[in-house]
Amino acid sequence: MPTLWSKTLIPTLRQDPADAEVPSHRLMLRAGLIRQLGSGLYTFLPLGWRALKKAIEIVREEMNAAGASEVLMPALEPLEMFKDTKRDVEYGDNLFTLTDRHGRKAALAPTHEEIITELMAAYVESYRQLPLNLYQIQTKYRDEFRPRFGILRSREFIMKDAYSFDIDLNGLDSSYQAMYDAYCRIFTRCGLEYEIVEAESGPIGGSASHEFMVLCNTGEDIILKSDKGTYSANVEKCGIGKRDLAQDFSGEPTGDLRIVSTPDCTTITDLCKQWQKFGGGKLKPQNVLKTLVYRFEGELTAEEQKEVEELATLGYTDGGFYFYWIVVVRGDHEVNEGAVKTEVEQVHRREMKFTPKSAPGLHLMEECKAKEAGFEVGFVGPHAYLSLPADSKARTRILVDHEAAQPGFWVAGANKPDQHVMHFNWIRECERRWLSDHVTDDHITYVADIRNAADGDPSPTGDGGILHEYKAIEVGHVFKLGSKYSDAMGFSVLDEDQNSQSVIMGCYGIGVGRIIAAAIETSHDDNGIIWPAAIAPYQVHIVPIKYQGEVRDTALSIAKQLEDAGMDVLIDDRDERPGVKFNDADLIGFPIRLTIGDKALAENSVEFKRRVDDKSKAELVKLDQVVERCKEVLAK
């Protein structure tokens, strides 16, 4: 039975909503696909829900075909589920938490790693029960600080998350590849052009991961691709090839150190804009040392705690440890927190000789806590270490990006409110004994590549490729988790030799709503949406000039034939002018529009038009050929 426009809810808008920032948000609101209820909260209206269900069904079909089994887990999870993995700390304020009437604390799940691990541990005891892959399509929640871009960054969203369980790494490789291949089929069927890039695992964790990205000028993610086509990665994961750099910390001072009063210049942008006003001439971001302060912390095992009781003043306290890390990059570069965390963890493993019982956390310090420790946030310089209180000084280390350790003219924070220094020189302003790479007795300073890769950098493949930046929308992410969650939550099975062994896990997510948004972002024109046929709310839109008499009977007859042939049909039966109907048809963007009027019927025909672009011309198609013509077009 075809859907009549008058029997459903399609509230189209003539004007763009004022707060819609990107095409998908603007067009989904205008075409009556969604309605905003609150910040980051959206109701899917009939057309939007139909499109979403079609994407969900494609995902479900391919997951089932890849051997996964569907479950449905609670969206509300006890907060104690995070007790062993500490992911509530990793998610921080992004985690929705609540307390029920009995005083029990819970969270609205952002993902379900802990819940699925607890589930499997309850039922799986032997390697003979593996491999297994379970998935769900479920509503997830993240308390985004700034929800934006419609359903691309919302607080409540629908996600497909799958979890594989294997006895060894070879099994994980097979499960991972099966999901990787399934994702390729899913996004191809949904009509998306996508890139697969290496990625950071973020709060999910794990040893390896890939993201499926849709290139788009309004995307929030940045990926870098080699112009030789041999490498691509998310900016957070992207490596940088070898560059011709001077020896670290070399070079004579460019002038006498000068303190400059810089009131209210807590950002590099503000500093560069006003530098000339302060009497310093023109200043470029690449001549400023960006200095951030991080706190690195973790818990120690009982044995380690005994060993370090006498080292309490060196960063170890209360069964754990914490250190401050001054991180320095060039002002026109961004800190790569993944690279910083990797380097810092290596330092602690190599030189502290301890392996924390929990995953160490690295966090940019809040301003108030940083100031309590002696760091003047907004005006911190690399030499802040020298002026810290004794307790903070004992816990502080410095990590400098190679390009920030080069000779040249530098401006840096003066470690005092509203003050910077110019002609900063590493050797002169700092104690020489801690300005070397991994060789000093007290190991205060370390140098590494810790900035994000940028457009124009050499590719890490060493083949002469140059990296170029592209904006993109992430629609899928696959992770090799390893034993992170099974170790933390005590999930082990008996192997072939009857020995207990941690289960090896993988995790695979798809933002189903993002499929819809990405399709619209990459397929629209000035008039509206241009749907890929597979996820269009309806595939054929019948527009009668006047819904009465022979025109109405013909519309209903054609609609039945199309639906019998497996196509979805919407009939615009409204008593509206043709221009209004045509504008709405272009706005909503169904793949095929059939216009039925007296003129066309006089020739035993309908007007057939594809919604591919403005240049697609209407053609007359005989009534007995309409079904085959629609099937032919949709098949393409």
Side-chain angles (χ1 to χ4, degrees):
M1 184 70 183
T3 301
L4 299 178
W5 189 299
S6 64
K7 300 301 182 183
T8 186
L9 180 64
I10 309 176
T12 58
L13 304 174
R14 300 274 76 83
Q15 301 296 323
D16 289 340
D19 60 345
E21 302 173 84
V22 297
S24 62
H25 189 196
R26 171 171 55 83
L27 291 171
M28 290 184 81
L29 289 169
R30 282 193 57 203
L33 273 65
I34 58 173
R35 175 176 169 79
Q36 184 168 352
L37 177 64
S39 177
L41 301 173
Y42 292 89
T43 298
F44 277 84
L45 303 179
L47 290 183
W49 182 234
R50 286 183 66 91
L52 193 64
K53 284 197 299 182
K54 288 190 174 185
I56 287 172
E57 195 51 38
I58 289 172
V59 170
R60 180 174 282 121
E61 287 173 4
E62 292 298 342
M63 293 302 296
N64 292 343
S69 298
E70 188 171 5
V71 297
L72 183 63
M73 293 175 276
L76 189 67
E77 58 182 320
L79 205 58
E80 65 190 43
M81 294 295 296
F82 295 110
K83 173 172 58 75
D84 297 315
T85 64
K86 310 294 183 187
R87 278 209 309 154
D88 54 335
V89 177
E90 292 267 357
Y91 274 110
D93 291 338
N94 278 342
L95 192 68
F96 273 107
T97 58
L98 56 92
T99 303
D100 69 14
R101 67 179 68 189
H102 302 292
R104 295 174 297 220
K105 293 184 177 179
L108 294 174
T111 54
H112 280 71
E113 282 76 11
E114 287 83 2
I115 297 177
I116 195 71
T117 304
E118 187 276 337
L119 171 67
M120 292 291 286
Y123 296 112
V124 177
E125 299 177 346
S126 168
Y127 78 98
R128 296 180 184 278
Q129 295 171 269
L130 303 177
L132 280 173
N133 189 325
L134 301 180
Y135 78 96
Q136 66 171 349
I137 299 171
Q138 166 71 295
T139 302
K140 303 297 177 69
Y141 302 87
R142 289 179 193 168
D143 194 4
E144 294 282 356
F145 177 73
R146 189 186 174 198
R148 57 200 303 237
F149 299 161
I151 64 172
L152 280 173
R153 183 170 289 279
S154 57
R155 301 164 77 205
E156 176 184 289
F157 52 95
I158 294 178
M159 179 176 169
K160 187 283 301 178
D161 48 323
Y163 306 90
S164 65
F165 303 87
D166 289 278
I167 191 62
D168 54 30
L169 292 176
N170 286 336
L172 172 60
D173 288 343
S174 296
S175 295
Y176 190 86
Q177 190 62 49
M179 290 294 98
Y180 186 104
D181 293 341
Y183 275 37
C184 292
R185 294 192 297 271
I186 287 167
F187 298 127
T188 298
R189 286 183 61 185
C190 288
L192 299 180
E193 294 185 10
Y194 59 90
E195 294 278 343
I196 304 172
V197 302
E198 295 180 15
E200 281 288 343
S201 298
I204 302 295
S207 60
S209 72
H210 289 87
E211 287 175 331
F212 290 75
M213 295 285 204
V214 176
L215 299 187
C216 174
N217 290 334
T218 53
E220 283 195 286
D221 285 285
I222 294 176
I223 68 170
L224 291 105
K225 297 171 55 181
S226 168
D227 58 6
K228 294 206 179 270
T230 54
Y231 180 80
S232 60
N234 187 301
V235 66
E236 296 169 349
K237 180 71 174 178
C238 190
I240 307 173
K242 289 185 178 180
R243 289 145 293 156
D244 185 16
L245 299 174
Q247 182 180 354
D248 298 327
F249 306 122
S250 61
E252 296 298 317
T254 56
D256 294 333
L257 187 70
R258 175 183 162 191
I259 296 178
V260 181
S261 177
T262 54
D264 300 321
C265 288
T266 57
T267 69
I268 290 175
T269 300
D270 289 339
L271 183 67
C272 291
K273 281 183 179 178
Q274 301 188 54
W275 188 252
Q276 200 162 10
K277 182 178 77 174
F278 301 140
K282 289 186 178 180
L283 179 64
K284 296 180 179 180
Q286 55 263 41
N287 295 116
V288 181
L289 294 175
K290 181 187 296 184
T291 307
L292 304 174
V293 183
Y294 288 83
R295 179 180 166 112
F296 180 75
E297 57 190 28
E299 296 180 9
L300 300 173
T301 64
E303 293 74 17
E304 290 170 344
Q305 290 178 41
K306 292 178 183 177
E307 292 183 46
V308 300
E309 284 178 357
E310 72 279 8
L311 300 178
T313 59
L314 296 181
Y316 300 94
T317 180
D318 299 328
F321 67 86
Y322 70 89
F323 282 84
Y324 304 127
W325 279 84
I326 297 174
V327 175
V328 187
V329 297
R330 219 169 68 180
D332 58 333
H333 293 155
E334 298 297 329
V335 171
N336 186 309
E337 290 194 359
V340 170
K341 189 171 188 289
T342 297
E343 185 67 21
V344 168
E345 286 179 345
Q346 289 177 354
V347 168
H348 282 267
R349 288 194 198 99
R350 181 176 65 243
E351 301 184 14
M352 308 300 179
K353 308 289 193 249
F354 297 114
T355 304
K357 67 180 181 181
S358 67
L362 179 78
H363 306 285
L364 187 66
M365 289 189 71
E366 296 177 11
E367 182 174 351
C368 59
K369 293 182 179 179
K371 286 190 174 183
E372 286 176 9
F375 299 98
E376 192 58 49
V377 175
F379 302 93
V380 178
H383 52 317
Y385 167 81
L386 299 174
S387 57
L388 290 174
D391 181 63
S392 293
K393 190 171 184 179
R395 301 177 189 274
T396 299
R397 302 292 183 267
I398 298 98
L399 182 59
V400 186
D401 182 71
H402 278 295
E403 290 181 53
Q406 296 299 295
F409 170 74
W410 292 114
V411 169
N415 306 311
K416 295 180 181 178
D418 297 326
Q419 290 186 3
H420 284 79
V421 296
M422 62 187 296
H423 299 298
F424 175 92
N425 178 265
W426 286 98
I427 300 294
R428 182 182 63 192
E429 269 59 80
C430 306
E431 296 180 14
R432 179 183 285 272
R433 66 187 178 85
W434 56 264
L435 284 180
S436 53
D437 190 5
H438 302 295
V439 295
T440 57
D441 291 336
D442 44 7
H443 296 284
I444 297 296
T445 301
Y446 303 86
V447 180
D449 283 328
I450 57 167
R451 71 165 174 89
N452 281 343
D455 198 277
D457 280 335
S459 169
T461 54
D463 59 2
I466 301 298
L467 297 173
H468 294 291
E469 282 188 7
Y470 300 88
K471 289 184 176 181
I473 296 170
E474 177 191 342
V475 290
H477 204 158
V478 292
F479 306 81
K480 288 185 178 180
L481 296 177
S483 61
K484 172 182 175 176
Y485 292 91
S486 53
D487 284 344
M489 300 181 69
F491 177 26
S492 60
V493 296
L494 295 177
D495 64 16
E496 196 170 4
D497 299 321
Q498 297 300 296
N499 296 318
S500 181
Q501 181 174 322
S502 294
V503 173
I504 307 300
M505 294 174 56
C507 170
Y508 318 93
I510 288 178
V512 185
R514 282 175 161 253
I515 292 177
I516 305 302
I520 296 172
E521 287 289 335
T522 55
S523 186
H524 68 273
D525 59 19
D526 292 341
N527 296 321
I529 302 167
I530 303 173
W531 282 105
I535 58 174
Y538 294 93
Q539 294 166 316
V540 182
H541 185 187
I542 297 178
V543 182
I545 298 300
K546 286 188 178 180
Y547 192 66
Q548 59 188 28
E550 185 183 2
V551 170
R552 180 193 59 203
D553 294 343
T554 303
L556 290 172
S557 174
I558 291 175
K560 184 178 186 310
Q561 295 175 54
L562 291 169
E563 291 208 326
D564 288 346
M567 287 168 262
D568 299 325
V569 182
L570 174 70
I571 299 176
D572 189 346
D573 63 332
R574 294 176 296 169
D575 184 17
E576 288 281 5
R577 299 187 313 275
V580 171
K581 292 185 176 185
F582 294 154
N583 286 338
D584 280 343
D586 284 343
L587 173 61
I588 298 171
F590 303 123
I592 295 172
R593 186 180 85 203
L594 302 178
T595 303
I596 303 177
D598 293 334
K599 276 190 184 179
L601 285 181
E603 299 185 45
N604 201 34
S605 302
V606 301
E607 186 178 280
F608 181 102
K609 190 175 189 301
R610 297 175 58 197
R611 179 67 174 98
V612 288
D613 54 48
D614 286 335
K615 297 177 183 176
S616 175
K617 298 201 175 184
E619 58 181 291
L620 287 180
V621 175
K622 296 296 183 183
L623 293 178
D624 60 358
Q625 297 175 12
V626 169
V627 173
E628 287 305 314
R629 182 74 176 111
C630 288
K631 287 169 66 175
E632 175 191 351
V633 167
L634 293 174
K636 294 179 181 178

